[in-house]
Amino acid sequence: MTRLISRRAVLAALVVVSLAGSASAQTDPLPSWNEGATKKAITDFVSRETTRGSPDFVPVDLRIATFDNDGTLWCEQPVYFQVAFAFDRLKAMAAQHPEWKAKQPFKAVLDGDMKALAQSGQKGLLEIVAVTHTGMSVDDFEKLVLEWTATARHPRFKRPYIELVYQPMLELMTYLRTNGFKTFIVSGGGIEFMRPWTEKVYGIPPQQVVGSSGVTKFELKPDGRASLLKLPKVEFIDDGPGKPVGINRFIGRHPIFAFGNSDGDLQMLQWTAAWPGARFMGIVHHTDAEREYAYDRKSHVGRLDKALDEARKRNWTVVDMKADWKQIFPPL
Amino acid sequence: MTRLISRRAVLAALVVVSLAGSASAQTDPLPSWNEGATKKAITDFVSRETTRGSPDFVPVDLRIATFDNDGTLWCEQPVYFQVAFAFDRLKAMAAQHPEWKAKQPFKAVLDGDMKALAQSGQKGLLEIVAVTHTGMSVDDFEKLVLEWTATARHPRFKRPYIELVYQPMLELMTYLRTNGFKTFIVSGGGIEFMRPWTEKVYGIPPQQVVGSSGVTKFELKPDGRASLLKLPKVEFIDDGPGKPVGINRFIGRHPIFAFGNSDGDLQMLQWTAAWPGARFMGIVHHTDAEREYAYDRKSHVGRLDKALDEARKRNWTVVDMKADWKQIFPPL
């Protein structure tokens, strides 16, 4: 029998053994990313920046990576998850506010009338955010967020919202941290809506979360205990041209790696690209209606239009969700 | 001869050896602090918070320590060092602004007329800050700060300002970090004035510096390069009741250890004290006119009045600079 085993088969077997050996010696840090140009762009970049002697080597202190949240780290359809939280809060509070049954924009939310809600515009949304996000201490708000993330379910996927995070992006952030990067969230979402769960879900502690915020006010309660009250006044919108402002204010260093998914991330990517040296600019393009959603230039949520043009023009990395990602969400 | 060596001498020698052994096995992490109640309060607290099984044990993620800067980590006399920077900048810019020779508050600075300057009040100071701190990109401002810290000298100590940091506080921050704490600066000073040098001087990276800030604006230059312009508009004052607001905004967690030196730190200390569990609130009391300065209730810079009463009332730790510190500044 041995004589029947051809030299070719032996060589093939050796190749398999050798590949298996190499795989076990160096486990793929990005198993949910299909092999291809996108994955290679990421691993090549990290290797160039972190290899001593490489012309692009960057010391650990300067390895700053920033990620948008909605649509980049977790799903943002059919509405931003923070909007879903606000609607759920509003419904829970409605019993104490009978007047809302006749008053827009509250009536629209209670009736599930998305058309009337859309007519109330940004002003209406701000009113909803004001009544659901302010008038309590920052600590009481944190509790409300944690209650919601523990109980609310996404209408399509029937899973808690904080499970609808992108498995490939979780792997990417871990991979970057393993290579000495500090990972930051830079989101248009509310900073106090994200911080209660980002460490558990993304491995990103509160102090590495940058987001939009409302004004808070220091108070001494009658018993002398200090408290911070959330006021119904916008303090900072961390979106679009606000993202470089937020990065500068909170981080104080230029990112060398940035990932977004919409036109609201364009300026963060431009800001990252503006500094000398090798930089990584990435965009998640939602192309997978079957496993997640497909949307870009005409979407009301997470519109990706100008930033897609800019990415193509400047050779930024565009993730094709359908082609590049083996898996979208973490396994159940 | 051996018979003359008494048992007592042998025992004494053993004690010395044993003490020496213990000293080398466990080097004093705070060598510039004299032994006494203050030092003991610090080391007892850290031991209680970081010893597994202790009822006050706090996991590493929650070990947040915040420090005021002016008068707590570095000297703040005869004027806040950032004011000295602003005056030096103003003088350097004066050749391009001949009109300043006849216009207050600029004239007062150029003439060294501190009385006229005092008359211009906070409004005058803000005008000086506006012309010296804004109208350039954040990166150009960083360069100006680094030039100044490299060249300017303190009028009394004739040393660079960044050498006039308190050696005992440097040791304290290192000691805390060794014990798993994250150290943050929470200062009324300008965030962009501190960040260029805090990592080198204090071991605190830019993203762990909280401070007052001006508005910045994102711009795309004609060549498509992104830039952030500093505008002459105050965005946030991180002082007094602003400190808990800044801590909440930038850190998102409650400090368990906080150190200040003036009434501007009172609310930060109250905020730290407000949360259940063992907390450390410390105040540097400037009592050493010979080696540094002595000032408290009546000082125009770094006034310590209400916070001193509160500290005494609530048993916070008050550092008596003269008695508690072996050394003030790092050796030349």
Side-chain angles (χ1 to χ4, degrees), chain A residues 220-225:
Chain A
L220 276 186
K221 291 189 177 165
D223 65 355
R225 197 159 171 275

PDB file of all heavy atoms in Angstrom, chain A residues 220-225:
ATOM      1  N   LEU A 220     -25.830  70.588  46.214  1.00  0.00           N
ATOM      2  CA  LEU A 220     -25.706  69.964  47.530  1.00  0.00           C
ATOM      3  C   LEU A 220     -27.112  69.733  48.047  1.00  0.00           C
ATOM      4  O   LEU A 220     -27.898  70.672  48.185  1.00  0.00           O
ATOM      5  CB  LEU A 220     -24.947  70.870  48.494  1.00  0.00           C
ATOM      6  CG  LEU A 220     -23.425  70.806  48.456  1.00  0.00           C
ATOM      7  CD1 LEU A 220     -22.835  71.651  49.566  1.00  0.00           C
ATOM      8  CD2 LEU A 220     -22.910  69.369  48.556  1.00  0.00           C
ATOM      9  N   LYS A 221     -27.448  68.487  48.315  1.00  0.00           N
ATOM     10  CA  LYS A 221     -28.771  68.191  48.850  1.00  0.00           C
ATOM     11  C   LYS A 221     -28.857  68.686  50.296  1.00  0.00           C
ATOM     12  O   LYS A 221     -27.826  68.954  50.924  1.00  0.00           O
ATOM     13  CB  LYS A 221     -29.024  66.690  48.774  1.00  0.00           C
ATOM     14  CG  LYS A 221     -29.171  66.230  47.322  1.00  0.00           C
ATOM     15  CD  LYS A 221     -29.634  64.791  47.242  1.00  0.00           C
ATOM     16  CE  LYS A 221     -29.839  64.396  45.784  1.00  0.00           C
ATOM     17  NZ  LYS A 221     -29.951  62.950  45.622  1.00  0.00           N
ATOM     18  N   PRO A 222     -30.103  68.795  50.829  1.00  0.00           N
ATOM     19  CA  PRO A 222     -30.251  69.299  52.205  1.00  0.00           C
ATOM     20  C   PRO A 222     -29.386  68.547  53.216  1.00  0.00           C
ATOM     21  O   PRO A 222     -28.894  69.133  54.183  1.00  0.00           O
ATOM     22  CB  PRO A 222     -31.745  69.090  52.491  1.00  0.00           C
ATOM     23  CG  PRO A 222     -32.400  69.113  51.154  1.00  0.00           C
ATOM     24  CD  PRO A 222     -31.399  68.538  50.185  1.00  0.00           C
ATOM     25  N   ASP A 223     -29.138  67.255  52.982  1.00  0.00           N
ATOM     26  CA  ASP A 223     -28.320  66.490  53.929  1.00  0.00           C
ATOM     27  C   ASP A 223     -26.820  66.690  53.682  1.00  0.00           C
ATOM     28  O   ASP A 223     -25.997  66.016  54.300  1.00  0.00           O
ATOM     29  CB  ASP A 223     -28.676  64.999  53.854  1.00  0.00           C
ATOM     30  CG  ASP A 223     -28.328  64.381  52.502  1.00  0.00           C
ATOM     31  OD1 ASP A 223     -27.894  65.135  51.597  1.00  0.00           O
ATOM     32  OD2 ASP A 223     -28.479  63.158  52.347  1.00  0.00           O
ATOM     33  N   GLY A 224     -26.470  67.593  52.757  1.00  0.00           N
ATOM     34  CA  GLY A 224     -25.063  67.878  52.504  1.00  0.00           C
ATOM     35  C   GLY A 224     -24.433  66.969  51.472  1.00  0.00           C
ATOM     36  O   GLY A 224     -23.254  67.099  51.152  1.00  0.00           O
ATOM     37  N   ARG A 225     -25.220  66.053  50.918  1.00  0.00           N
ATOM     38  CA  ARG A 225     -24.681  65.110  49.956  1.00  0.00           C
ATOM     39  C   ARG A 225     -24.660  65.760  48.571  1.00  0.00           C
ATOM     40  O   ARG A 225     -25.594  66.450  48.169  1.00  0.00           O
ATOM     41  CB  ARG A 225     -25.565  63.860  49.941  1.00  0.00           C
ATOM     42  CG  ARG A 225     -24.913  62.658  49.308  1.00  0.00           C
ATOM     43  CD  ARG A 225     -25.596  61.368  49.781  1.00  0.00           C
ATOM     44  NE  ARG A 225     -25.133  60.212  49.025  1.00  0.00           N
ATOM     45  CZ  ARG A 225     -25.646  59.846  47.864  1.00  0.00           C
ATOM     46  NH1 ARG A 225     -26.647  60.509  47.324  1.00  0.00           N
ATOM     47  NH2 ARG A 225     -25.166  58.793  47.225  1.00  0.00           N
TER      48      ARG A 225
END
